[in-house]
Amino acid sequence: AQSVSQHNHHVILSEAASLELGCNYSYGGTVNLFWYVQYPGQHLQLLLKYFSGDPLVKGIKGFEAEFIKSKFSFNLRKPSVQWSDTAEYFCAVNAGDMRFGAGTRLTVKP
Amino acid sequence: NAGVTQTPKFRVLKTGQSMTLLCAQDMNHEYMYWYRQDPGMGLRLIHYSVGEGTTAKGEVPDGYNVSRLKKQNFLLGLESAAPSQTSVYFCATRGGNYNEQFFGPGTRLTVL
């Protein structure tokens, strides 16, 4: 069965630091890839998605992610985080069946 | 458009009690899902539906039942609640060009 691994459970950064959250999946076929964000007390919202084409996808709020097929990875990046980016981030893979990673909690200190 | 709504938002149950969580959507999506979210475990799929009148088991279906009598509604039932079912429950639909999921606001359930 496909699975999704997020390497970091909790990341703490200062404002303006760069961010990279890892995501790896274990499915060899065609996949759709997603990053969702959950702000404190809120529901999950789509941050960005990869379907096909350019492996570097840009999402909302300055986030981007790169699909590296050979590494089965879809890492999330942001050059300069803000306090308002404090949230939990979930990677998800859809290969007919949507699977979510365990999530990475990001805390940005002002 | 309301999108995906869930009722209730919060609930406290005693062990052995039953309840039903309601998910409603006005997006005309065929697929609907129920997840539970627990710390450190991400979202785990309980049951899902690919259309009106159909349901299927997900990753953690035990102790839950579902029904999809109308396309816009997906009900999650707990017949005899247990403390292990204390969680936050999210409903989602699937649609759009990229099969992305759209989530409801969640229901926080505590079973004492």
Side-chain angles (χ1 to χ4, degrees):
Chain A
Q2 60 180 356
S3 65
V4 183
S5 299
Q6 291 184 240
H7 315 301
N8 311 101
H9 295 296
H10 190 191
V11 173
I12 303 172
L13 295 173
S14 298
E15 274 194 315
S18 64
L19 169 72
E20 180 160 3
L21 302 181
C23 174
N24 285 89
Y25 61 94
S26 66
Y27 184 73
T30 301
V31 294
N32 295 346
L33 299 160
F34 306 85
W35 275 97
Y36 284 85
V37 60
Q38 185 179 29
Y39 297 104
Q42 297 188 25
H43 62 283
L44 276 76
Q45 304 169 46
L46 184 67
L47 202 53
L48 49 78
K49 56 187 177 284
Y50 172 79
F51 187 71
S52 64
D54 188 344
L56 184 62
V57 292
K58 295 190 184 299
I60 59 172
K61 304 185 180 185
F63 286 91
E64 64 179 31
E66 184 175 14
F67 170 50
I68 303 179
K69 190 174 181 179
S70 61
K71 294 184 177 180
F72 298 91
S73 70
F74 190 55
N75 292 355
L76 180 71
R77 300 194 292 249
K78 186 171 183 178
S80 176
V81 295
Q82 301 173 318
W83 175 79
S84 58
D85 292 326
T86 294
E88 191 150 16
Y89 293 81
F90 293 92
C91 180
V93 176
N94 189 348
D97 181 18
M98 186 78 110
R99 292 288 173 132
F100 287 82
T104 296
R105 187 154 61 99
L106 172 65
T107 301
V108 180
K109 297 190 288 187
Chain B
N1 291 345
V4 183
T5 58
Q6 291 181 233
T7 52
K9 287 186 170 54
F10 303 93
R11 187 73 186 268
V12 178
L13 291 179
K14 294 181 180 178
T15 297
Q17 287 185 315
S18 63
M19 79 163 293
T20 300
L21 282 67
L22 170 64
C23 176
Q25 57 117 344
D26 62 3
M27 307 175 82
N28 202 34
H29 289 164
E30 293 291 341
Y31 286 68
M32 296 187 75
Y33 305 82
W34 275 108
Y35 292 92
R36 58 178 291 172
Q37 183 182 27
D38 302 292
M41 304 190 77
L43 276 78
R44 292 182 292 167
L45 182 64
I46 304 171
H47 286 279
Y48 64 100
S49 168
V50 301
E52 181 179 319
T54 73
T55 63
K57 293 181 180 180
E59 188 182 351
V60 288
D62 294 341
Y64 305 94
N65 57 75
V66 288
S67 65
R68 183 98 181 268
L69 299 179
K70 294 182 180 180
K71 184 177 182 179
Q72 61 268 35
N73 295 337
F74 194 30
L75 279 64
L76 177 72
L78 287 73
E79 291 184 349
S80 179
S84 61
Q85 293 177 305
T86 293
S87 187
V88 180
Y89 292 85
F90 286 99
C91 175
T93 69
R94 191 180 95 181
N97 293 334
Y98 301 100
N99 281 328
E100 64 191 83
Q101 293 198 341
F102 299 85
F103 286 84
T107 295
R108 184 173 295 275
L109 175 66
T110 301
V111 183
L112 303 174

CSV table of all heavy atoms in Angstrom, one decimal, chain B residues 34-90:
chain,number,residue,atom,x,y,z
B,34,TRP,N,-14.6,10.6,5.4
B,34,TRP,CA,-14.5,10.9,6.8
B,34,TRP,C,-13.1,10.5,7.3
B,34,TRP,O,-12.7,9.4,7.1
B,34,TRP,CB,-15.6,10.2,7.6
B,34,TRP,CG,-16.9,10.8,7.7
B,34,TRP,CD1,-18.1,10.5,7.1
B,34,TRP,CD2,-17.2,12.0,8.5
B,34,TRP,NE1,-19.1,11.4,7.4
B,34,TRP,CE2,-18.6,12.3,8.2
B,34,TRP,CE3,-16.5,12.9,9.3
B,34,TRP,CZ2,-19.2,13.4,8.8
B,34,TRP,CZ3,-17.1,13.9,9.9
B,34,TRP,CH2,-18.5,14.2,9.7
B,35,TYR,N,-12.5,11.5,7.9
B,35,TYR,CA,-11.1,11.2,8.5
B,35,TYR,C,-11.2,11.5,10.0
B,35,TYR,O,-12.0,12.3,10.5
B,35,TYR,CB,-10.1,12.2,7.9
B,35,TYR,CG,-9.8,12.0,6.5
B,35,TYR,CD1,-10.5,12.7,5.5
B,35,TYR,CD2,-8.7,11.2,6.1
B,35,TYR,CE1,-10.1,12.6,4.1
B,35,TYR,CE2,-8.4,11.0,4.8
B,35,TYR,CZ,-9.1,11.7,3.8
B,35,TYR,OH,-8.7,11.6,2.5
B,36,ARG,N,-10.3,10.9,10.7
B,36,ARG,CA,-10.0,11.3,12.1
B,36,ARG,C,-8.6,11.8,12.2
B,36,ARG,O,-7.7,11.3,11.5
B,36,ARG,CB,-10.3,10.2,13.1
B,36,ARG,CG,-9.5,8.9,12.9
B,36,ARG,CD,-9.8,7.9,14.0
B,36,ARG,NE,-9.3,8.4,15.3
B,36,ARG,CZ,-9.6,7.8,16.5
B,36,ARG,NH1,-10.4,6.7,16.5
B,36,ARG,NH2,-9.1,8.2,17.6
B,37,GLN,N,-8.4,12.8,13.0
B,37,GLN,CA,-7.1,13.4,13.1
B,37,GLN,C,-6.6,13.3,14.6
B,37,GLN,O,-7.3,13.8,15.5
B,37,GLN,CB,-7.0,14.9,12.7
B,37,GLN,CG,-5.7,15.5,12.8
B,37,GLN,CD,-5.7,17.0,12.4
B,37,GLN,OE1,-6.7,17.7,12.6
B,37,GLN,NE2,-4.5,17.4,11.9
B,38,ASP,N,-5.5,12.6,14.8
B,38,ASP,CA,-5.0,12.4,16.1
B,38,ASP,C,-3.5,12.9,16.1
B,38,ASP,O,-2.8,12.8,15.1
B,38,ASP,CB,-5.0,10.9,16.5
B,38,ASP,CG,-6.4,10.4,16.4
B,38,ASP,OD1,-7.2,10.8,17.3
B,38,ASP,OD2,-6.8,9.6,15.6
B,39,PRO,N,-3.1,13.4,17.2
B,39,PRO,CA,-1.7,14.0,17.3
B,39,PRO,C,-0.6,13.0,16.8
B,39,PRO,O,-0.6,11.8,17.3
B,39,PRO,CB,-1.5,14.3,18.8
B,39,PRO,CG,-2.9,14.6,19.3
B,39,PRO,CD,-3.8,13.6,18.5
B,40,GLY,N,0.2,13.4,16.0
B,40,GLY,CA,1.3,12.6,15.5
B,40,GLY,C,1.0,11.5,14.5
B,40,GLY,O,1.8,10.7,14.0
B,41,MET,N,-0.3,11.4,14.1
B,41,MET,CA,-0.8,10.4,13.2
B,41,MET,C,-1.4,10.9,11.9
B,41,MET,O,-1.8,10.2,11.1
B,41,MET,CB,-1.8,9.5,13.9
B,41,MET,CG,-1.2,8.9,15.2
B,41,MET,SD,-2.2,7.6,15.9
B,41,MET,CE,-1.8,6.2,14.8
B,42,GLY,N,-1.4,12.2,11.8
B,42,GLY,CA,-2.0,12.8,10.6
B,42,GLY,C,-3.5,12.5,10.5
B,42,GLY,O,-4.2,12.4,11.5
B,43,LEU,N,-3.9,12.4,9.3
B,43,LEU,CA,-5.3,12.1,9.0
B,43,LEU,C,-5.4,10.6,8.6
B,43,LEU,O,-4.7,10.2,7.7
B,43,LEU,CB,-5.9,13.0,7.9
B,43,LEU,CG,-6.4,14.3,8.3
B,43,LEU,CD1,-5.2,15.3,8.5
B,43,LEU,CD2,-7.3,14.9,7.2
B,44,ARG,N,-6.4,9.9,9.2
B,44,ARG,CA,-6.6,8.5,8.8
B,44,ARG,C,-8.0,8.4,8.3
B,44,ARG,O,-9.0,8.9,8.9
B,44,ARG,CB,-6.3,7.6,10.0
B,44,ARG,CG,-4.9,7.6,10.4
B,44,ARG,CD,-4.6,6.6,11.6
B,44,ARG,NE,-5.3,7.1,12.8
B,44,ARG,CZ,-5.4,6.4,13.9
B,44,ARG,NH1,-5.0,5.1,13.9
B,44,ARG,NH2,-6.0,6.9,15.0
B,45,LEU,N,-8.2,7.7,7.2
B,45,LEU,CA,-9.4,7.6,6.5
B,45,LEU,C,-10.3,6.5,7.3
B,45,LEU,O,-9.9,5.4,7.5
B,45,LEU,CB,-9.2,7.2,5.1
B,45,LEU,CG,-10.5,7.1,4.2
B,45,LEU,CD1,-11.2,8.4,4.1
B,45,LEU,CD2,-10.1,6.5,2.9
B,46,ILE,N,-11.5,6.9,7.6
B,46,ILE,CA,-12.4,6.0,8.3
B,46,ILE,C,-13.3,5.3,7.3
B,46,ILE,O,-13.3,4.1,7.2
B,46,ILE,CB,-13.3,6.8,9.3
B,46,ILE,CG1,-12.4,7.6,10.3
B,46,ILE,CG2,-14.2,5.9,10.1
B,46,ILE,CD1,-13.2,8.6,11.2
B,47,HIS,N,-14.1,6.1,6.6
B,47,HIS,CA,-15.0,5.5,5.5
B,47,HIS,C,-15.0,6.6,4.4
B,47,HIS,O,-14.7,7.7,4.6
B,47,HIS,CB,-16.4,5.3,6.0
B,47,HIS,CG,-16.6,4.1,6.9
B,47,HIS,ND1,-16.7,2.8,6.4
B,47,HIS,CD2,-16.7,4.0,8.2
B,47,HIS,CE1,-16.9,2.0,7.4
B,47,HIS,NE2,-16.9,2.7,8.5
B,48,TYR,N,-15.4,6.1,3.2
B,48,TYR,CA,-15.6,7.1,2.2
B,48,TYR,C,-16.8,6.6,1.3
B,48,TYR,O,-17.3,5.5,1.4
B,48,TYR,CB,-14.3,7.3,1.3
B,48,TYR,CG,-13.9,6.0,0.6
B,48,TYR,CD1,-14.1,5.9,-0.8
B,48,TYR,CD2,-13.1,5.0,1.2
B,48,TYR,CE1,-13.7,4.8,-1.4
B,48,TYR,CE2,-12.7,3.9,0.6
B,48,TYR,CZ,-13.0,3.8,-0.8
B,48,TYR,OH,-12.5,2.7,-1.4
B,49,SER,N,-17.1,7.5,0.4
B,49,SER,CA,-18.3,7.2,-0.5
B,49,SER,C,-17.9,7.8,-1.9
B,49,SER,O,-17.5,8.9,-2.0
B,49,SER,CB,-19.5,7.9,0.0
B,49,SER,OG,-20.6,7.9,-1.0
B,50,VAL,N,-18.2,7.0,-2.9
B,50,VAL,CA,-17.9,7.4,-4.3
B,50,VAL,C,-19.2,7.9,-5.0
B,50,VAL,O,-19.1,8.3,-6.2
B,50,VAL,CB,-17.2,6.3,-5.1
B,50,VAL,CG1,-15.9,5.9,-4.5
B,50,VAL,CG2,-18.1,5.1,-5.3
B,51,GLY,N,-20.3,7.9,-4.2
B,51,GLY,CA,-21.5,8.4,-4.8
B,51,GLY,C,-22.7,8.1,-3.9
B,51,GLY,O,-22.6,7.3,-3.0
B,52,GLU,N,-23.8,8.7,-4.3
B,52,GLU,CA,-25.0,8.5,-3.5
B,52,GLU,C,-25.3,7.0,-3.4
B,52,GLU,O,-25.3,6.3,-4.4
B,52,GLU,CB,-26.2,9.2,-4.2
B,52,GLU,CG,-27.5,9.1,-3.5
B,52,GLU,CD,-28.6,9.9,-4.2
B,52,GLU,OE1,-28.3,11.0,-4.7
B,52,GLU,OE2,-29.7,9.4,-4.3
B,53,GLY,N,-25.6,6.6,-2.2
B,53,GLY,CA,-26.0,5.2,-2.0
B,53,GLY,C,-24.8,4.2,-1.9
B,53,GLY,O,-25.0,3.0,-1.7
B,54,THR,N,-23.6,4.7,-1.9
B,54,THR,CA,-22.4,3.8,-1.8
B,54,THR,C,-21.6,4.3,-0.7
B,54,THR,O,-21.4,5.4,-0.4
B,54,THR,CB,-21.6,3.9,-3.1
B,54,THR,OG1,-20.9,5.1,-3.1
B,54,THR,CG2,-22.4,3.7,-4.3
B,55,THR,N,-21.0,3.3,0.0
B,55,THR,CA,-20.0,3.6,1.0
B,55,THR,C,-18.9,2.5,1.0
B,55,THR,O,-19.1,1.4,0.5
B,55,THR,CB,-20.6,3.6,2.4
B,55,THR,OG1,-21.1,2.3,2.7
B,55,THR,CG2,-21.7,4.6,2.6
B,56,ALA,N,-17.7,2.8,1.5
B,56,ALA,CA,-16.6,1.8,1.6
B,56,ALA,C,-15.8,2.1,2.8
B,56,ALA,O,-15.7,3.2,3.3
B,56,ALA,CB,-15.8,1.9,0.3
B,57,LYS,N,-15.1,1.1,3.2
B,57,LYS,CA,-14.2,1.2,4.4
B,57,LYS,C,-12.9,1.8,4.0
B,57,LYS,O,-12.3,1.5,3.0
B,57,LYS,CB,-14.0,-0.2,5.0
B,57,LYS,CG,-15.2,-0.8,5.6
B,57,LYS,CD,-15.0,-2.2,6.3
B,57,LYS,CE,-16.2,-2.8,6.8
B,57,LYS,NZ,-16.0,-4.1,7.5
B,58,GLY,N,-12.4,2.6,5.0
B,58,GLY,CA,-11.1,3.1,4.8
B,58,GLY,C,-10.0,2.4,5.7
B,58,GLY,O,-10.1,1.2,5.9
B,59,GLU,N,-9.1,3.2,6.2
B,59,GLU,CA,-8.0,2.6,7.0
B,59,GLU,C,-8.4,2.2,8.4
B,59,GLU,O,-7.9,1.1,8.9
B,59,GLU,CB,-6.9,3.6,7.0
B,59,GLU,CG,-5.6,3.2,7.6
B,59,GLU,CD,-4.6,4.4,7.6
B,59,GLU,OE1,-4.9,5.5,7.1
B,59,GLU,OE2,-3.5,4.2,8.2
B,60,VAL,N,-9.3,2.9,9.0
B,60,VAL,CA,-9.7,2.7,10.4
B,60,VAL,C,-11.2,2.7,10.6
B,60,VAL,O,-11.8,3.5,11.3
B,60,VAL,CB,-9.0,3.7,11.4
B,60,VAL,CG1,-7.5,3.4,11.5
B,60,VAL,CG2,-9.3,5.1,10.9
B,61,PRO,N,-11.9,1.7,10.0
B,61,PRO,CA,-13.4,1.7,10.0
B,61,PRO,C,-14.1,1.2,11.2
B,61,PRO,O,-15.3,1.5,11.5
B,61,PRO,CB,-13.7,0.9,8.8
B,61,PRO,CG,-12.6,-0.2,8.8
B,61,PRO,CD,-11.4,0.6,9.2
B,62,ASP,N,-13.3,0.4,12.1
B,62,ASP,CA,-14.0,-0.3,13.2
B,62,ASP,C,-14.6,0.7,14.2
B,62,ASP,O,-13.9,1.7,14.6
B,62,ASP,CB,-13.0,-1.2,13.9
B,62,ASP,CG,-12.5,-2.3,13.0
B,62,ASP,OD1,-13.2,-2.6,12.0
B,62,ASP,OD2,-11.5,-2.9,13.2
B,63,GLY,N,-15.8,0.4,14.6
B,63,GLY,CA,-16.5,1.2,15.6
B,63,GLY,C,-17.3,2.4,14.9
B,63,GLY,O,-18.0,3.1,15.7
B,64,TYR,N,-17.3,2.5,13.6
B,64,TYR,CA,-18.0,3.6,12.9
B,64,TYR,C,-18.9,3.0,11.8
B,64,TYR,O,-18.6,1.9,11.2
B,64,TYR,CB,-17.0,4.5,12.2
B,64,TYR,CG,-16.0,5.1,13.1
B,64,TYR,CD1,-14.7,4.6,13.3
B,64,TYR,CD2,-16.3,6.3,13.9
B,64,TYR,CE1,-13.8,5.1,14.1
B,64,TYR,CE2,-15.3,6.9,14.7
B,64,TYR,CZ,-14.1,6.3,14.8
B,64,TYR,OH,-13.1,6.8,15.6
B,65,ASN,N,-20.0,3.7,11.5
B,65,ASN,CA,-20.8,3.3,10.4
B,65,ASN,C,-21.1,4.6,9.6
B,65,ASN,O,-21.1,5.7,10.2
B,65,ASN,CB,-22.1,2.6,10.8
B,65,ASN,CG,-22.9,3.4,11.8
B,65,ASN,OD1,-23.6,4.3,11.4
B,65,ASN,ND2,-22.9,3.0,13.0
B,66,VAL,N,-21.4,4.5,8.4
B,66,VAL,CA,-21.7,5.7,7.5
B,66,VAL,C,-22.9,5.4,6.7
B,66,VAL,O,-23.3,4.3,6.4
B,66,VAL,CB,-20.5,6.1,6.7
B,66,VAL,CG1,-19.4,6.7,7.5
B,66,VAL,CG2,-20.0,4.9,5.8
B,67,SER,N,-23.5,6.5,6.2
B,67,SER,CA,-24.6,6.4,5.2
B,67,SER,C,-24.5,7.6,4.3
B,67,SER,O,-24.2,8.7,4.7
B,67,SER,CB,-25.9,6.3,5.9
B,67,SER,OG,-26.2,7.5,6.6
B,68,ARG,N,-24.9,7.4,3.0
B,68,ARG,CA,-24.9,8.4,2.0
B,68,ARG,C,-26.2,8.3,1.2
B,68,ARG,O,-26.3,7.9,0.1
B,68,ARG,CB,-23.7,8.2,1.1
B,68,ARG,CG,-23.6,9.3,0.0
B,68,ARG,CD,-22.6,10.4,0.4
B,68,ARG,NE,-22.6,11.4,-0.6
B,68,ARG,CZ,-21.7,11.4,-1.6
B,68,ARG,NH1,-20.8,10.4,-1.8
B,68,ARG,NH2,-21.7,12.4,-2.5
B,69,LEU,N,-27.3,8.7,1.9
B,69,LEU,CA,-28.6,8.6,1.3
B,69,LEU,C,-28.9,9.6,0.3
B,69,LEU,O,-29.6,9.4,-0.7
B,69,LEU,CB,-29.7,8.6,2.4
B,69,LEU,CG,-29.6,7.5,3.5
B,69,LEU,CD1,-30.7,7.6,4.5
B,69,LEU,CD2,-29.7,6.1,2.8
B,70,LYS,N,-28.2,10.8,0.5
B,70,LYS,CA,-28.3,11.9,-0.5
B,70,LYS,C,-26.9,12.3,-0.9
B,70,LYS,O,-26.0,12.2,-0.1
B,70,LYS,CB,-29.0,13.1,0.2
B,70,LYS,CG,-30.5,12.9,0.5
B,70,LYS,CD,-31.1,14.2,1.1
B,70,LYS,CE,-32.5,14.0,1.5
B,70,LYS,NZ,-33.1,15.3,2.0
B,71,LYS,N,-26.8,12.7,-2.1
B,71,LYS,CA,-25.5,13.1,-2.6
B,71,LYS,C,-24.8,14.1,-1.8
B,71,LYS,O,-23.6,14.1,-1.6
B,71,LYS,CB,-25.6,13.6,-4.0
B,71,LYS,CG,-24.3,13.9,-4.7
B,71,LYS,CD,-24.5,14.4,-6.2
B,71,LYS,CE,-23.2,14.7,-6.9
B,71,LYS,NZ,-23.5,15.1,-8.3
B,72,GLN,N,-25.6,15.1,-1.2
B,72,GLN,CA,-25.0,16.2,-0.5
B,72,GLN,C,-24.6,15.9,0.9
B,72,GLN,O,-24.0,16.7,1.6
B,72,GLN,CB,-25.9,17.4,-0.6
B,72,GLN,CG,-27.2,17.3,0.0
B,72,GLN,CD,-28.3,16.8,-1.0
B,72,GLN,OE1,-28.0,16.0,-1.9
B,72,GLN,NE2,-29.5,17.3,-0.8
B,73,ASN,N,-25.1,14.8,1.5
B,73,ASN,CA,-24.9,14.5,2.9
B,73,ASN,C,-24.1,13.2,3.1
B,73,ASN,O,-24.4,12.2,2.4
B,73,ASN,CB,-26.2,14.4,3.6
B,73,ASN,CG,-26.9,15.7,3.6
B,73,ASN,OD1,-26.3,16.8,3.5
B,73,ASN,ND2,-28.2,15.6,3.8
B,74,PHE,N,-23.2,13.2,4.1
B,74,PHE,CA,-22.5,12.0,4.4
B,74,PHE,C,-22.5,11.9,5.9
B,74,PHE,O,-21.9,12.8,6.6
B,74,PHE,CB,-21.1,12.0,3.8
B,74,PHE,CG,-20.3,10.7,3.8
B,74,PHE,CD1,-21.0,9.5,3.7
B,74,PHE,CD2,-18.9,10.7,3.9
B,74,PHE,CE1,-20.3,8.3,3.7
B,74,PHE,CE2,-18.2,9.6,3.9
B,74,PHE,CZ,-18.9,8.3,3.8
B,75,LEU,N,-23.1,10.9,6.5
B,75,LEU,CA,-23.3,10.8,7.9
B,75,LEU,C,-22.3,9.8,8.5
B,75,LEU,O,-22.1,8.7,7.9
B,75,LEU,CB,-24.7,10.3,8.3
B,75,LEU,CG,-25.8,11.4,8.3
B,75,LEU,CD1,-26.0,12.0,6.9
B,75,LEU,CD2,-27.1,10.9,8.9
B,76,LEU,N,-21.7,10.1,9.6
B,76,LEU,CA,-20.8,9.2,10.4
B,76,LEU,C,-21.4,8.9,11.7
B,76,LEU,O,-21.7,9.8,12.5
B,76,LEU,CB,-19.4,9.8,10.6
B,76,LEU,CG,-18.4,9.0,11.4
B,76,LEU,CD1,-17.9,7.8,10.5
B,76,LEU,CD2,-17.2,9.9,11.8
B,77,GLY,N,-21.6,7.6,12.0
B,77,GLY,CA,-22.2,7.2,13.2
B,77,GLY,C,-21.3,6.4,14.1
B,77,GLY,O,-20.5,5.7,13.7
B,78,LEU,N,-21.5,6.7,15.4
B,78,LEU,CA,-20.8,5.9,16.4
B,78,LEU,C,-21.9,5.2,17.2
B,78,LEU,O,-22.7,5.9,17.9
B,78,LEU,CB,-19.9,6.8,17.4
B,78,LEU,CG,-18.6,7.4,16.8
B,78,LEU,CD1,-18.9,8.5,15.9
B,78,LEU,CD2,-17.8,7.9,18.0
B,79,GLU,N,-22.0,3.9,17.2
B,79,GLU,CA,-23.0,3.2,17.9
B,79,GLU,C,-22.8,3.1,19.4
B,79,GLU,O,-23.8,3.2,20.1
B,79,GLU,CB,-23.2,1.8,17.2
B,79,GLU,CG,-23.7,1.9,15.8
B,79,GLU,CD,-24.0,0.5,15.3
B,79,GLU,OE1,-23.5,-0.5,15.9
B,79,GLU,OE2,-24.6,0.3,14.2
B,80,SER,N,-21.6,2.9,19.7
B,80,SER,CA,-21.2,2.8,21.2
B,80,SER,C,-19.9,3.4,21.4
B,80,SER,O,-18.8,2.7,21.2
B,80,SER,CB,-21.3,1.3,21.6
B,80,SER,OG,-20.9,1.1,22.9
B,81,ALA,N,-19.9,4.7,21.7
B,81,ALA,CA,-18.6,5.4,21.8
B,81,ALA,C,-17.6,4.9,22.8
B,81,ALA,O,-18.0,4.4,23.9
B,81,ALA,CB,-18.9,6.9,22.1
B,82,ALA,N,-16.4,4.9,22.5
B,82,ALA,CA,-15.3,4.5,23.3
B,82,ALA,C,-14.3,5.6,23.5
B,82,ALA,O,-14.1,6.4,22.6
B,82,ALA,CB,-14.6,3.3,22.8
B,83,PRO,N,-13.5,5.7,24.6
B,83,PRO,CA,-12.5,6.7,24.8
B,83,PRO,C,-11.5,6.8,23.6
B,83,PRO,O,-11.0,7.9,23.3
B,83,PRO,CB,-11.9,6.4,26.1
B,83,PRO,CG,-13.0,5.7,26.9
B,83,PRO,CD,-13.7,4.9,25.8
B,84,SER,N,-11.2,5.7,23.0
B,84,SER,CA,-10.3,5.7,21.9
B,84,SER,C,-10.8,6.4,20.7
B,84,SER,O,-10.0,6.7,19.7
B,84,SER,CB,-10.0,4.2,21.5
B,84,SER,OG,-11.2,3.6,21.0
B,85,GLN,N,-12.1,6.8,20.7
B,85,GLN,CA,-12.7,7.5,19.6
B,85,GLN,C,-12.6,9.0,19.8
B,85,GLN,O,-13.1,9.8,19.0
B,85,GLN,CB,-14.1,7.1,19.3
B,85,GLN,CG,-14.1,5.6,18.8
B,85,GLN,CD,-15.5,5.1,18.5
B,85,GLN,OE1,-16.4,5.1,19.5
B,85,GLN,NE2,-15.8,4.6,17.3
B,86,THR,N,-12.0,9.4,20.9
B,86,THR,CA,-11.8,10.9,21.1
B,86,THR,C,-10.8,11.3,20.1
B,86,THR,O,-9.7,10.8,19.9
B,86,THR,CB,-11.2,11.1,22.5
B,86,THR,OG1,-12.1,10.7,23.5
B,86,THR,CG2,-10.7,12.5,22.7
B,87,SER,N,-11.3,12.3,19.3
B,87,SER,CA,-10.5,12.8,18.2
B,87,SER,C,-11.1,14.0,17.6
B,87,SER,O,-12.2,14.5,18.0
B,87,SER,CB,-10.4,11.6,17.1
B,87,SER,OG,-9.5,11.9,16.1
B,88,VAL,N,-10.5,14.5,16.5
B,88,VAL,CA,-11.1,15.5,15.7
B,88,VAL,C,-11.5,14.9,14.4
B,88,VAL,O,-10.6,14.2,13.7
B,88,VAL,CB,-10.2,16.7,15.4
B,88,VAL,CG1,-10.9,17.8,14.6
B,88,VAL,CG2,-9.7,17.4,16.8
B,89,TYR,N,-12.7,15.0,14.0
B,89,TYR,CA,-13.2,14.4,12.8
B,89,TYR,C,-13.4,15.4,11.7
B,89,TYR,O,-14.0,16.4,11.9
B,89,TYR,CB,-14.5,13.7,13.1
B,89,TYR,CG,-14.3,12.5,14.0
B,89,TYR,CD1,-14.3,12.7,15.4
B,89,TYR,CD2,-14.1,11.2,13.5
B,89,TYR,CE1,-14.1,11.6,16.2
B,89,TYR,CE2,-13.9,10.1,14.4
B,89,TYR,CZ,-13.9,10.3,15.7
B,89,TYR,OH,-13.7,9.3,16.6
B,90,PHE,N,-12.8,15.1,10.5
B,90,PHE,CA,-13.0,15.9,9.4
B,90,PHE,C,-13.7,15.2,8.2
B,90,PHE,O,-13.4,14.1,7.9
B,90,PHE,CB,-11.6,16.4,8.9
B,90,PHE,CG,-10.9,17.4,9.7
B,90,PHE,CD1,-10.0,17.0,10.6
B,90,PHE,CD2,-11.3,18.8,9.6
B,90,PHE,CE1,-9.3,18.0,11.4
B,90,PHE,CE2,-10.7,19.7,10.4
B,90,PHE,CZ,-9.7,19.3,11.3
